Each structure stands twice: as structure tokens, then as C-alpha cells.
């Protein structure tokens, strides 16, 4: 199955990781800045005749909008773990997972994948319904993380959370009203951090399946953080603790 990829970060990440999966890359010859020049030097040596110039109208038609930075690619999807069992079986060491409940904005999903990749997360779990899924926007916002981060789509999130618990993974959910803060917990074991969308938060059943609820300390006038920012706070605290072991 082919996918549309947009922007320098996503396409350059694919050039590094799996250049053979890029079937065609189109660029705007009218853009002559240094960033495009550096991109073309890298792409020409790898892609050869799979690199094509295209005017702005063609790029708009391929991307569906003009937010493509002047580069659009047609690519085969990379093969990564697609089931929870497959993901956990392939993890060396203690699992660190991110569970997203109700994150329907592709920009937020892309940002969450980016921060998850940076923090060393092994995989991201989302429900089939009430969730954004990989598309060109997610790929672009994730800056290439969507190409390498396993995104596990599950039909029943509560059942999958029970499966994680049976595998020895501790489920830590975020809740503004929780007694303990994220900084009070030991995050060095096998864990999954469970985040809800801003505004609604986690669904009741998702919250009830968490082993522990924690809050992120807030000292200003806003009540909560964007889900990708909140994910970054929690994941990097886990990374900090793990780096001290």
C-alpha cells in the first residue's frame, strides 16, 4: 500500500532508513534556497530517476494542500510491528509504551509520535475508533518518527490494557485530580503511560483500567497541557529516571 509523504523531515528520514521504499519524489524547482539545495544533493545521489521536478499545481494536487514545503513523495509503507504481542515480544529490556485515548487531531498524533521517538518509547497504542491514524499530516508533523515508531491500533483499548497488565506492564494514567504527581513515581520498570486528549481526557473505562493515576503539577492559570506536551513531560521523566539506573 502506498502513502503520500510531505516535507523535508519525513522524506529525509525515509531516505536514511529505507530509500528503496520511495517510489517517486517530486520537488518544486522554483524553490532555490539552501534547504532545498541540501535536500536535492542527498536525494539525487540516492534516488536517481525516481526524483522529479513538479510545478506548484502538481504538488498541490498530490498533497491535497500547499503545506508540503515543496517536496512530496509516493512511498511504500515500512514494515514495523502491528500487533501488541508482536511489539512486546520484540522489546529488549523493560518496555516503555505510550497509550493515547481519544487523540483525534493528526497534528497532535504526529507530535506525540515525535516526542515518543525522542524519549525512546518502544511503541504507541491507539484505539481503532476515536483516534487519528497515519496520514500525510501525521507523517510531516512527526518529522520522520511515524516511519519508525510502531503504532499499534487496537479494536478494544480496555482489553488491550488488560493484556499489557498480564504481560507485567504497569499502566500509569494522567489525571488532573490525582493525588500523586508524575515526579513521585518510580518509572524505571515496565510501564505504559496512558494519556487522554486535552479537554475530555481519558474515557472512564480507560481510567478504571490504569494501575496508577498521576498528575502533572500546574502552577499557572491554565488547567492542563496539550497532549503532546504532557506526553513529553511524562516520557522524559521516565527517560531521566532510567538513565540514572
Amino acid at each position: 500500500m502506498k502513502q503520500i509523504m510531505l516535507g523535508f523531515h519525513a522524506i529525509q528520514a525515509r531516505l536514511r532508513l529505507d530509500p528503496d521504499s520511495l517510489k517517486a519524489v517530486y520537488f518544486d524547482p522554483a524553490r532555490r534556497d539552501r534547504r532545498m539545495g541540501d535536500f536535492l544533493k542527498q536525494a539525487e545521489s540516492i534516488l536517481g530517476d525516481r526524483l522529479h521536478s513538479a510545478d506548484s499545481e502538481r504538488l498541490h494536487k498530490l498533497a491535497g494542500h500547499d503545506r508540503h514545503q515543496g517536496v512530496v513523495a509516493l512511498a511504500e509503507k515500512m514494515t514495523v510491528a502491528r500487533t501488541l504481542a508482536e511489539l512486546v515480544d520484540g522489546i529488549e529490556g523493560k518496555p516503555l509504551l505510550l497509550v493515547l485515548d481519544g487523540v483525534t487531531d493528526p497534528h497532535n498524533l504526529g507530535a506525540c509520535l515525535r516526542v515518543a521517538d525522542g524519549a525512546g518509547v518502544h511503541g504507541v497504542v491507539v484505539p481503532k475508533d476515536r483516534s487519528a491514524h497515519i496520514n500525510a499530516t501525521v507523517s510531516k508533523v512527526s518529522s520522520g518518527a511515524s516511519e519508525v515508531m510502531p503504532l499499534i491500533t487496537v479494536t478494544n483499548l480496555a482489553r488491550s490494557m488488560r493484556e499489557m497488565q498480564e504481560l507485567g506492564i504497569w499502566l500509569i494514567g494522567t489525571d488532573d485530580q490525582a493525588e500523586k504527581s508524575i515526579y513521585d513515581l518510580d518509572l524505571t520498570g515496565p510501564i505504559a503511560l496512558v494519556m487522554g486528549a486535552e479537554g475530555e481526557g481519558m474515557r472512564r473505562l480507560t481510567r478504571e483500567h490504569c494501575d496508577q493515576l498521576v498528575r502533572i503539577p500546574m502552577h499557572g492559570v491554565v488547567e492542563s497541557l496539550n497532549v503532546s506536551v504532557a506526553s513529553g513531560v511524562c516520557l522524559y521523566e521516565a527517560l531521566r529516571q532510567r538513565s540514572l539506573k
Side-chain angles (χ1 to χ4, degrees), residues 3 7 70 78-79 83 124 130 146 189 192 200:
Q3 68 178 121
M78 289 179 64
T79 302
T83 68
V124 178
R130 295 184 75 255
S146 64
E200 295 180 16

Short mmCIF file of all heavy atoms in Angstrom, two decimals, residues 3 7 70 78-79 83 124 130 146 189 192 200:
data_model
loop_
_atom_site.label_atom_id
_atom_site.label_comp_id
_atom_site.label_asym_id
_atom_site.label_seq_id
_atom_site.Cartn_x
_atom_site.Cartn_y
_atom_site.Cartn_z
N GLN A 3 1.75 5.39 0.34
CA GLN A 3 1.37 6.52 1.16
C GLN A 3 1.98 7.79 0.58
O GLN A 3 3.00 7.75 -0.12
CB GLN A 3 1.83 6.33 2.61
CG GLN A 3 3.34 6.35 2.79
CD GLN A 3 3.75 6.21 4.24
OE1 GLN A 3 4.47 5.28 4.58
NE2 GLN A 3 3.33 7.12 5.09
N GLY A 7 7.08 17.12 3.05
CA GLY A 7 8.04 17.87 3.84
C GLY A 7 9.41 17.23 3.93
O GLY A 7 9.59 16.03 3.73
N GLY A 70 7.40 22.12 -0.59
CA GLY A 70 7.99 21.96 -1.92
C GLY A 70 8.50 20.58 -2.23
O GLY A 70 9.12 20.35 -3.27
N MET A 78 6.51 1.27 5.41
CA MET A 78 7.52 0.42 6.04
C MET A 78 6.86 -0.63 6.92
O MET A 78 5.78 -0.41 7.45
CB MET A 78 8.47 1.28 6.88
CG MET A 78 9.41 2.14 6.06
SD MET A 78 10.49 3.16 7.08
CE MET A 78 11.44 1.92 7.94
N THR A 79 7.54 -1.75 7.08
CA THR A 79 7.01 -2.83 7.91
C THR A 79 7.55 -2.70 9.33
O THR A 79 8.75 -2.77 9.55
CB THR A 79 7.41 -4.21 7.34
OG1 THR A 79 6.90 -4.30 6.01
CG2 THR A 79 6.83 -5.32 8.17
N THR A 83 1.00 -5.64 15.90
CA THR A 83 0.15 -6.16 16.98
C THR A 83 0.86 -5.94 18.30
O THR A 83 2.10 -5.85 18.36
CB THR A 83 -0.17 -7.65 16.81
OG1 THR A 83 1.04 -8.41 17.01
CG2 THR A 83 -0.74 -7.94 15.43
N VAL A 124 3.57 2.95 20.35
CA VAL A 124 2.41 3.76 20.73
C VAL A 124 1.15 2.97 20.42
O VAL A 124 1.03 2.37 19.34
CB VAL A 124 2.41 5.10 19.97
CG1 VAL A 124 1.18 5.93 20.32
CG2 VAL A 124 3.68 5.90 20.29
N ARG A 130 -12.16 6.68 17.40
CA ARG A 130 -11.85 7.88 18.21
C ARG A 130 -10.35 8.13 18.28
O ARG A 130 -9.79 8.42 19.35
CB ARG A 130 -12.43 7.78 19.62
CG ARG A 130 -13.95 7.76 19.69
CD ARG A 130 -14.47 7.76 21.11
NE ARG A 130 -14.33 9.07 21.75
CZ ARG A 130 -13.41 9.36 22.67
NH1 ARG A 130 -12.54 8.45 23.06
NH2 ARG A 130 -13.37 10.57 23.21
N SER A 146 7.01 8.80 12.48
CA SER A 146 5.95 7.86 12.09
C SER A 146 6.48 6.74 11.20
O SER A 146 5.83 5.71 11.04
CB SER A 146 4.82 8.59 11.37
OG SER A 146 5.27 9.15 10.15
N GLY A 189 10.52 0.74 35.73
CA GLY A 189 10.09 -0.62 35.41
C GLY A 189 9.38 -0.67 34.06
O GLY A 189 9.35 0.30 33.30
N ALA A 192 3.49 1.58 30.81
CA ALA A 192 2.80 2.25 29.70
C ALA A 192 2.18 3.51 30.27
O ALA A 192 1.42 3.44 31.24
CB ALA A 192 1.74 1.34 29.09
N GLU A 200 -11.32 16.52 27.06
CA GLU A 200 -12.09 15.37 27.53
C GLU A 200 -11.28 14.46 28.45
O GLU A 200 -11.81 13.84 29.37
CB GLU A 200 -12.59 14.55 26.34
CG GLU A 200 -13.59 15.29 25.45
CD GLU A 200 -14.04 14.42 24.29
OE1 GLU A 200 -13.84 13.19 24.35
OE2 GLU A 200 -14.60 14.97 23.33
#
